[in-house]
Amino acid sequence: MITYPHLKEGASIGVTAPSSGIPAELHQLVTNSCTRLERSGFRMTCGETVWTQNKAKSASAIKRATEFNTFMADSEIDILIPPWGGELLIEILEYIDYENIKNKWILGYSDISGLLLSITLKTGIATAHGTNLIDLRGEFSDETTAMWQTVLSTKTGESVLQRSSEQFQKEWQHDHPSPCVFHLTEKTSWKTVSNHNVKIQGRLLGGCIDMIRHLIGTPFGDVQSFRGKYINGDPVIWYLENCELNTTDLRRSLVQMKLAGWFDHCSGLMFGRSPANTPVENYTAVDVYQDLAAELDIPIIYDIDCGHVPPQITFINGAHAEVEVADGKGTVVQYFRP
């Protein structure tokens, strides 16, 4: 059975940096985000790791894991939202206290998705792949991003609907700050490999492929045991997003996932828009998706609202989902079924 945390009104948010912290010259980003959330009625607690960054991480693996474990055990903290992702979260996985993890939300993406996926796979506690803290610093959020509160406030047994965005951000314009942080200028269109409308359903699992591929073969990536122990063999929908991989590295990673059994009993795959996906000898990302669709004989949806090309839908690892794509528009209904 899957266990779902619940975001209550006036919740206390714990900010800890299990991957990268914030260098001194960017501390104002955290301060702004915390101020915005406090104005929305949240209470904020920032850990020491948030304010430090050296050698591609916020602190030592032990310090990062200890702070995370402390925040998870603290009954005064209701939800954890890291400031952003990073590079070396994988160093802390062996020090996480999985046996005593409390039923509270963890929200994030990028490198953080390795922590989210490992916790859901090992404990059956749902985790939330979506916005990070830094992207909540705007005067307001776009409709897609803002859904994180609604999604995390959904109760066990209930469902929540999200729709594809109207527009997405092509590139960051840090020299032209936007009231909602993102500069949403490009028309969103969800696509399918078949070029036909698609409807799939199953339990959601996923994250940033750059990171979660490294869980394969470790105690933190045992998808087969998770299927039998927590979802009664229900089919899985994988949502994946690529941060930095070129197309051949993406292909290698997906083949490895397939060979490791991650795509067994899979009802469909979804891929987020990507700032990477650089073609190698005319081998494009669409070629990768087509090859995978042919091998697995399942629907593949791509250019969805997920990952490093914002905005992004809040996907719940472990939730049952019905995903439909028709005429470039997408809907995701997540059912918080045990």
Side-chain angles (χ1 to χ4, degrees):
M1 293 178 61
I2 299 296
T3 304
Y4 297 92
H6 178 254
L7 181 66
K8 62 185 183 182
E9 194 170 340
S12 173
I13 298 175
V15 186
T16 182
S19 184
S20 285
I22 309 297
E25 63 271 18
L26 297 178
H27 281 180
Q28 192 63 39
L29 299 180
V30 179
T31 304
N32 291 346
S33 298
C34 290
T35 299
R36 295 292 180 194
L37 288 164
E38 286 172 342
R39 289 176 182 172
S40 298
F42 293 102
R43 292 168 289 128
M44 307 299 297
T45 301
C46 289
E48 292 181 5
T49 59
V50 174
W51 309 106
T52 56
Q53 175 71 5
N54 186 40
K55 296 188 182 295
K57 50 198 166 192
S58 63
S60 69
I62 293 292
K63 182 170 182 177
R64 284 178 281 152
T66 298
E67 186 172 275
F68 176 82
N69 290 333
T70 299
F71 275 36
M72 286 298 287
D74 189 340
S75 60
E76 296 298 314
I77 293 177
D78 302 308
I79 174 176
L80 270 64
I81 308 181
W84 52 20
E87 302 287 349
L88 294 174
L89 180 133
I90 197 168
E91 294 179 336
I92 77 167
L93 293 182
E94 62 187 300
Y95 305 115
I96 299 299
D97 185 7
Y98 296 95
E99 299 298 321
N100 295 299
I101 280 184
K102 297 290 190 279
N103 186 31
K104 61 179 72 174
W105 284 119
I106 310 165
L107 171 66
Y109 77 107
S110 192
D111 206 31
I112 304 301
S113 67
L115 178 63
L116 304 177
L117 184 59
S118 65
I119 286 175
T120 297
L121 291 180
K122 286 185 71 68
T123 70
I125 296 174
T127 52
H129 186 281
T131 189
N132 59 34
L133 184 88
I134 294 305
D135 290 342
L136 296 175
R137 69 186 186 277
E139 295 176 20
F140 62 92
S141 291
D142 64 276
E143 292 182 3
T144 307
T145 303
M147 279 295 292
W148 73 271
Q149 291 188 56
T150 300
V151 174
L152 302 192
S153 299
T154 303
K155 296 178 181 177
T156 300
E158 295 181 346
S159 64
V160 59
L161 166 68
Q162 295 176 89
R163 300 183 186 276
S164 56
S165 66
E166 292 294 325
Q167 293 180 303
F168 69 91
Q169 174 177 281
K170 184 177 182 179
E171 58 187 13
W172 287 101
Q173 299 177 38
H174 295 296
D175 53 340
H176 294 96
S178 162
C180 74
V181 179
F182 304 134
H183 294 79
L184 304 175
T185 60
E186 311 301 307
K187 182 176 174 57
T188 297
S189 178
W190 287 22
K191 304 177 180 70
T192 66
V193 166
S194 66
N195 291 319
H196 296 128
N197 296 345
V198 163
K199 187 172 184 179
I200 54 177
Q201 59 181 342
R203 297 279 185 166
L204 289 167
L205 290 175
C208 180
I209 195 169
D210 309 44
M211 195 301 169
I212 66 172
R213 61 181 177 165
H214 296 296
L215 302 183
I216 294 172
T218 74
F220 314 107
D222 192 345
V223 175
Q224 286 86 344
S225 293
F226 169 80
R227 282 200 198 96
K229 188 173 182 180
Y230 295 112
I231 61 171
N232 300 313
D234 287 350
V236 171
I237 299 173
W238 284 95
Y239 64 90
L240 302 166
E241 62 100 2
N242 172 16
C243 179
E244 297 178 334
L245 310 183
N246 66 28
T247 55
T248 50
D249 202 358
L250 175 64
R251 173 63 173 158
R252 284 192 295 268
S253 301
L254 291 166
V255 171
Q256 184 180 6
M257 289 178 175
K258 180 186 72 171
L259 297 177
W262 278 28
F263 298 149
D264 293 351
H265 206 36
C266 175
S267 57
L269 280 90
M270 304 188 291
F271 290 89
R273 296 179 295 263
S274 174
N277 281 340
T278 305
V280 177
E281 295 182 3
N282 298 321
Y283 188 53
T284 68
V286 174
D287 292 328
V288 175
Y289 305 151
Q290 290 174 337
D291 286 346
L292 197 62
E295 291 168 358
L296 301 177
D297 193 26
I298 57 174
I300 290 184
I301 302 165
Y302 63 98
D303 285 357
I304 71 167
D305 296 293
C306 178
H308 288 77
V309 181
Q312 55 183 317
I313 279 174
T314 302
F315 288 105
I316 302 302
N317 288 319
H320 178 87
E322 293 180 357
V323 181
E324 189 164 5
V325 178
D327 304 319
K329 301 290 187 180
T331 59
V332 179
V333 183
Q334 296 182 92
Y335 298 86
F336 283 22
R337 296 175 183 169

